[in-house]
């Protein structure tokens, strides 16, 4: 049974092109199209329905121990009101999912990928320890993203809290028009932005309209999943299922900074320590086409006629106007500046490995 | 929008006949389905192609679609404007957004194509 988010009727009204994605009927684009939507977010502000994402609540006296065991980042570093990007790994170091961990006063809130909700819940549940409860609240949670340089101005109009004081990867509990919401300064676009979570689904359409109304003076527009993907790829943010999966580990995926080996034991630690000691065999690298050609997932990567890897994500970059992609390449070829070729329909197209991100003008407030 | 004076295929190409030469492009319906077209790989002039062969490859931001040769023929001209302005296929699919012209090998084959009414029915218009 394909699910609908509380904003489905709004997407219909806005004439979105709706596709099945991760078990939901989601808007991939609205009538102006992906390139227009992408530019809207880069230049001013856009709003996203992200209600397909999964949310879990972890409670109990041993909640911290449980999350230290099941995620690779150090959850003990989190203050109340702070958010952390992390990965969950299998014992062999392969990635279960990437996620956000929110530390609230008496519980932790996890935000996981829509396509992995059931898998993640089952995996977390199978590793549950005494004194911890795990609740999947995905179906009761709506999520609106507001992203772009003007996002603070838009969201500020909806509440009295001083948002200039809300730091990157931090959150507050507040209200929009009397409806309680959790608001975090987070996003997946490379721009400054906010994510608004709430459970009053009966008021979902009203809250959407409130945000749209607040954004009117900045000509806010709805943004579909298509532009969400091109925006995240321009930053080289990983996408589960493309850039990372159960057969990749955080070290080769460029997520070494997320793994805290010194925090104590966690699932996958032994395997990842071995990877670290033996040096990674391949690495996820960002590359830019030198000229024509658009890389797509599964295209082969060559160097001097020798196959060295495979494309995982690829698109025409709306900001750069050229094909960009990511791919795993053998470690001998992972340095930025390395010349590679992408095989596209039996022809070789030159490309160059770069340092991330592709798009360097983003307004995201990292620290 | 479907133009009355053209022929169509079930794979959403349009064909305009001018004596022995046919012009081919994609329909308004197809360009809408694809979204922003960002790259077109054009065929080479003098290529001899059979019905069903890949004539061109069109890339949208999120999709790659092949454009098929509707009938047998030899490519005589390609729309090189698309190299720098593939968005013409979005903004003007029936005119400036044409893809290629080819010399028709056998006019008998034209009978297998759809007329405007049949194509409208196909796309539910």
């Amino acid at each position: 049974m394909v699910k609908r988010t509380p904003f489905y009727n709004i997407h219909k009204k806005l004439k979105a092109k709706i596709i099945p994605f991760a078990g939901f009927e989601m808007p991939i684009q609205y009538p102006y199209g992906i390139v227009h939507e992408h530019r809207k977010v880069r230049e001013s502000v856009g709003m996203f329905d992200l209600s397909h994402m999964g949310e879990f609540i972890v409670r109990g006296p041993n909640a911290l121990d449980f999350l230290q065991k099941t995620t690779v980042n150090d959850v003990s570093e989190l203050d109340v009101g702070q958010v952390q990007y992390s990965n969950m790994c299998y014992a062999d170091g392969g990635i279960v999912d990437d996620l956000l961990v929110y530390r609230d006063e008496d519980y932790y809130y996890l935000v996981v990928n829509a396509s992995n909700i059931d898998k993640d819940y089952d995996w977390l549940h199978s590793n549950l320890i005494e004194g911890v409860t795990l609740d999947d609240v995905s179906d009761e949670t709506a999520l609106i993203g507001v992203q772009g340089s003007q996002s603070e101005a838009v969201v500020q109009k909806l509440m009295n809290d001083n948002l200039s004081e809300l730091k990157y990867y931090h959150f507050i509990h507040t209200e929009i028009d009397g409806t309680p919401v959790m608001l975090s300064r987070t996003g997946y676009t490379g721009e400054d932005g906010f994510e608004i979570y709430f459970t009053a689904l009966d008021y979902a359409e009203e809250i959407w309209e409130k945000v749209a109304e607040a954004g009117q003076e900045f000509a806010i527009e709805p943004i579909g999943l298509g532009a969400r993907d091109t925006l995240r790829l321009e930053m080289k943010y990983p996408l589960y299922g493309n850039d990372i999966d159960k057969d990749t580990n955080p070290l080769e995926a460029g997520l070494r900074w997320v793994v805290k080996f010194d925090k104590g034991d966690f699932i996958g630690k032994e395997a990842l320590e071995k990877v670290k000691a033996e040096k990674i065999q391949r690495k996820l690298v960002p590359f830019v086409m030198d000229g024509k050609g658009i890389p797509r997932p599964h295209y082969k990567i060559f160097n001097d006629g020798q196959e060295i890897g495979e494309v995982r994500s690829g698109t025409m970059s709306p900001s750069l106007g050229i094909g960009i992609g990511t791919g795993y390449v053998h470690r001998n070829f992972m340095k930025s500046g390395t010349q590679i070729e992408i095989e596209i329909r039996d022809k070789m197209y030159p490309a160059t490995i770069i340092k991330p991100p592709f798009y360097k003008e983003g307004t995201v407030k990292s620290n | 929008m479907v133009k009355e004076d053209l022929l169509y295929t079930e794979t959403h190409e349009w064909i305009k006949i001018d004596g022995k030469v046919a012009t081919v492009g994609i329909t308004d319906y197809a360009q809408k389905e694809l979204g922003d077209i960002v790259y077109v790989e054009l065929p080479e002039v003098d290529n001899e192609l059979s019905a069903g062969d890949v004539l061109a490859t069109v890339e949208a931001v999120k999709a790659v679609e092949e454009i098929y040769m509707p009938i047998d023929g030899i490519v005589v001209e390609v729309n090189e404007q698309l190299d720098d302005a593939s968005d013409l296929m979005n903004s003007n699919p029936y005119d400036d957004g044409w893809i290629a012209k080819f010399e028709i090998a056998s006019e008998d084959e034209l009978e297998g194509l759809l007329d405007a009414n049949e194509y409208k029915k196909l796309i539910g218009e």
Side-chain angles (χ1 to χ4, degrees), chain A residues 7-132:
Chain A
F7 308 113
Y8 177 82
N9 289 329
I10 289 179
H11 303 318
K12 275 294 206 197
K13 209 169 69 192
L14 293 167
K15 299 199 164 31
K17 188 164 151 192
I18 291 177
I19 56 148
F21 176 82
F24 287 82
E25 287 188 275
M26 295 299 290
I28 183 151
Q29 65 170 75
Y30 298 87
Y32 286 125
I34 295 174
V35 173
H36 173 93
E37 291 168 28
H38 181 105
R39 295 201 172 122
K40 190 87 215 172
V41 175
R42 286 273 178 259
E43 286 160 16
S44 55
V45 62
M47 60 189 291
F48 303 68
D49 174 9
L50 306 174
S51 307
H52 59 309
M53 300 292 285
E55 293 87 11
F56 302 153
I57 290 175
V58 179
R59 277 179 206 277
N62 295 329
L64 175 61
D65 289 346
F66 172 63
L67 290 173
Q68 287 292 58
K69 173 183 149 191
T70 51
T71 68
V72 302
N73 209 330
D74 187 354
V75 186
S76 73
E77 288 177 356
L78 276 180
D79 294 326
V80 171
Q82 204 178 357
V83 188
Q84 182 180 68
Y85 175 76
S86 195
N87 283 184
M88 299 187 283
C89 287
Y90 294 106
D92 69 359
I95 301 173
V96 180
D97 202 0
D98 64 342
L99 73 160
L100 294 181
V101 179
Y102 288 65
R103 182 182 171 199
D104 216 316
E105 282 185 21
D106 53 3
Y107 60 89
Y108 291 90
Y109 192 83
L110 313 184
V111 182
V112 303
N113 282 298
S115 50
N116 290 337
I117 295 172
D118 293 341
K119 180 188 79 176
D120 290 354
Y121 182 85
D122 291 346
W123 185 79
L124 284 167
H125 199 266
S126 70
N127 287 295
L128 214 54
I129 57 174
E130 205 59 25
V132 182

Side-chain angles (χ1 to χ4, degrees), chain A residues 285-320:
Chain A
V285 294
F287 63 85
V288 175
M289 303 305 296
D290 292 346
K292 279 186 187 173
I294 302 172
R296 305 285 183 185
H298 309 305
Y299 287 1
K300 288 175 182 163
I301 303 174
F302 290 81
N303 174 280
D304 228 357
Q306 177 195 0
E307 191 178 332
I308 58 163
E310 186 197 62
V311 175
R312 289 305 188 98
S313 287
T315 190
M316 167 62 82
S317 161
S319 300
L320 308 180

Side-chain angles (χ1 to χ4, degrees), chain A residues 213-286:
Chain A
E213 214 179 285
Q216 223 164 38
E217 66 174 289
F218 307 99
I220 198 170
E221 283 178 25
I223 312 296
L225 292 182
R228 179 168 157 84
D229 188 55
T230 54
L231 288 160
R232 72 92 196 162
L233 183 51
E234 283 188 345
M235 298 305 294
K236 204 208 162 222
Y237 293 155
L239 172 65
Y240 195 92
N242 282 41
D243 304 287
I244 52 176
D245 56 34
K246 70 174 171 56
D247 299 315
T248 64
N249 68 59
L251 306 188
E252 61 189 19
L255 298 171
R256 168 74 185 81
W257 62 278
V258 183
V259 186
K260 302 292 155 65
F261 287 106
D262 53 6
K263 72 163 180 171
D265 199 26
F266 59 90
I267 300 172
K269 183 179 181 182
E270 211 174 303
L272 292 175
E273 271 179 336
K274 195 158 167 261
V275 173
K276 191 172 78 162
E278 291 171 0
K279 302 267 160 56
I280 51 172
Q281 291 303 304
R282 56 176 189 169
K283 189 164 184 212
L284 185 70
V285 294

